[in-house]
Amino acid sequence: MEALEDGKNLEAETGGVRTGNGDMGPGVMQQESVLQMRDFIAKLDPPSKDVDDATLKRFLRARSNKVEKAGKMFAEHQKWRHTFVPLGYIPEEEVKNELEAKKVFLQGHDKVGRSISVILACKHDAYKRNYEEFKRKYPDYLCLGLCFFLKPGHEKFTVILDLKGLKYKNLDPRGWISIFDFLQAYYPERLGRLFIVHVPIIFWGAWKIVNPFIDKVTKEKIIFVDEKKIESILLEEIEKDQIPETYGGTLGLVPIQDAPTPNWPPRS
């Protein structure tokens, strides 16, 4: 990704309010949960106790506001990052095999400010990819890039998964499961919408293997788009000048490594 100094991308945060009768509103209740979670984290992983509130709120939402479960989930997240992402990001040379395929693109924003990524599944070769690179490094490179491309005040991204031209060599249930596991464990509450377009018959057998590994919250964000309604469905959430040309818009596809991403690479 190309660096673009254009101001720091800040996480969305909402303050608590009190209702007219003096009771605590949901914002205050959530803030109390954040404080409890911060105390919990201080015992499990002291260096992480000063993480921003917005991050803690995402983990709380992912665990239905249960402080202990969210705290343990966040501690595992931090442990994973310290082990596999010591620089705070994945350098491009560590995922060069995946980037050379030019199968993931990053450009534009939807109507609520979420960054938009397009994935061309036909460019993924399940027989040539390095599983460890694909499982541990590439997902973080993609997700962090999408997060840095967000408009200020937003924290979720939109993905268009295009299955046009899909062949058997592109089917990768094991790899797909690892991607969903990664999102759910280390980037909770980041996926805003997943549009799946140009769905061929051969996809459904592999999907039956993957589907049980996707949690309910993530499934609610997945939309299988009818072939004849791709442009109209996308227009419900994305302005025409932000939709890629191939789907009826006016925006060209930009490989993720070439996207002008603000403040990239992140400073540790």
Side-chain angles (χ1 to χ4, degrees):
M1 277 166 275
E2 295 184 354
L4 178 63
E5 294 295 335
D6 189 29
K8 189 173 182 180
N9 182 22
L10 301 176
E11 294 271 19
E13 294 199 37
T14 55
V17 295
R18 290 185 178 273
T19 59
N21 59 8
D23 295 332
M24 289 194 299
V28 171
M29 294 175 64
Q30 186 182 50
Q31 196 60 38
E32 289 190 347
S33 295
V34 168
L35 294 175
Q36 292 173 18
M37 183 174 170
R38 197 177 295 284
D39 290 340
F40 185 79
I41 290 171
K43 299 174 183 177
L44 292 180
D45 183 24
S48 300
K49 65 181 179 63
D50 295 324
V51 70
D52 61 278
D53 284 1
T55 296
L56 298 185
K57 289 175 182 178
R58 286 194 295 104
F59 280 83
L60 280 165
R61 292 198 301 271
R63 287 296 177 264
S64 302
N65 217 43
K66 298 185 185 303
V67 172
E68 186 171 340
K69 288 184 177 181
K72 289 180 178 179
M73 182 186 187
F74 179 75
E76 285 298 313
H77 164 270
Q78 291 298 86
K79 180 180 178 181
W80 174 82
R81 290 199 69 80
H82 293 324
T83 302
F84 296 103
V85 196
L87 296 177
Y89 70 100
I90 300 294
E92 292 184 357
E93 56 267 23
E94 294 186 15
V95 289
K96 61 180 182 180
N97 294 323
E98 296 296 328
L99 294 179
E100 286 174 356
K102 291 189 177 181
K103 55 190 172 185
V104 179
F105 303 83
L106 174 59
Q107 63 291 298
H109 298 85
D110 67 13
K111 293 179 181 180
V112 297
R114 297 182 296 215
S115 49
I116 301 172
S117 176
V118 174
I119 302 175
L120 301 183
C122 66
K123 292 193 173 187
H124 173 71
D125 192 329
Y127 298 98
K128 292 183 178 180
R129 60 116 168 92
N130 179 294
Y131 183 66
E132 287 305 307
E133 177 182 332
F134 185 79
K135 177 182 178 181
R136 299 189 187 281
K137 297 181 178 182
Y138 192 51
D140 191 80
Y141 177 88
L142 299 179
C143 289
L144 197 60
L146 279 162
C147 290
F148 270 75
F149 202 75
L150 290 165
K151 286 189 175 182
H154 297 277
E155 56 183 2
K156 296 186 179 184
F157 46 75
T158 289
V159 177
I160 301 173
L161 174 59
D162 192 332
L163 304 181
K164 188 174 184 178
L166 197 74
K167 297 180 173 60
Y168 285 106
K169 70 175 183 179
N170 309 128
L171 297 175
D172 191 1
R174 184 186 179 199
W176 298 346
I177 290 170
S178 72
I179 293 292
F180 280 110
D181 283 346
F182 181 90
L183 274 173
Q184 292 163 177
Y186 304 126
Y187 281 82
E189 293 296 304
R190 285 295 197 182
L191 179 65
R193 186 76 75 213
L194 171 58
F195 296 101
I196 302 182
V197 302
H198 299 307
V199 184
I201 293 176
I202 65 170
F203 167 78
W204 294 110
W207 185 249
K208 287 182 179 179
I209 298 173
V210 177
N211 191 52
F213 293 90
I214 306 174
D215 65 34
K216 180 182 178 181
V217 174
T218 301
K219 286 179 180 178
E220 292 173 350
K221 300 173 181 179
I222 300 174
I223 298 176
F224 287 94
V225 184
D226 184 274
E227 192 80 13
K228 298 179 181 180
K229 298 181 179 180
I230 293 176
E231 183 177 353
S232 62
I233 292 296
L234 293 180
L235 280 171
E236 291 178 3
E237 299 193 19
I238 309 171
E239 297 290 356
K240 191 177 183 68
D241 64 355
Q242 298 295 297
I243 295 176
E245 295 172 333
T246 186
Y247 308 120
T250 60
L251 208 59
L253 291 177
V254 180
I256 189 168
Q257 61 267 36
D258 298 330
T261 306
N263 304 298
W264 187 270
R267 299 177 179 88
S268 59

